[in-house]
Amino acid sequence: MLFSEPGRDLSHSAIMFDHLSLEAKLQALEFMKVTTPYELHWDVIPLAQLPGGTIGDYTQAEIDLQALTQLGCYRRILF
């Protein structure tokens, strides 16, 4: 179980590496410049947090989008 500071259980709304599709996993690893999820402890630490609800309430595409966005993969650089 994952608990936040106030003691809330976050295990149902945390996005873990295993929740991602294969394409999203590869994109996340490439973005973070690592070869395995273990280098960033993604086997035990969540990648991202859902804005509400639980993993079961979201489609695979929505889970991938939330995780990759929160990691910064889609950050735009404006000059």
Side-chain angles (χ1 to χ4, degrees):
M1 295 182 112
L2 295 169
F3 289 98
S4 66
E5 287 182 25
R8 293 182 314 156
D9 181 10
L10 301 175
S11 58
H12 299 290
S13 61
I15 301 174
M16 303 299 286
F17 189 76
D18 289 338
H19 292 140
L20 300 180
S21 66
L22 178 59
E23 296 83 19
K25 287 178 182 180
L26 294 174
Q27 190 173 352
L29 291 173
E30 181 181 341
F31 177 75
M32 298 301 287
K33 297 179 174 57
V34 296
T35 56
T36 67
Y38 306 108
E39 292 178 63
L40 298 171
H41 304 287
W42 282 347
D43 53 330
V44 293
I45 297 174
L47 290 155
Q49 189 71 34
L50 292 170
T54 64
I55 291 288
D57 297 334
Y58 291 84
T59 65
Q60 186 63 55
E62 292 169 331
I63 292 168
D64 291 347
L65 179 64
Q66 280 293 325
L68 293 174
T69 301
Q70 290 181 40
L71 284 174
C73 291
Y74 299 130
R75 190 175 309 149
R76 292 182 64 186
I77 299 173
L78 302 174
F79 293 97

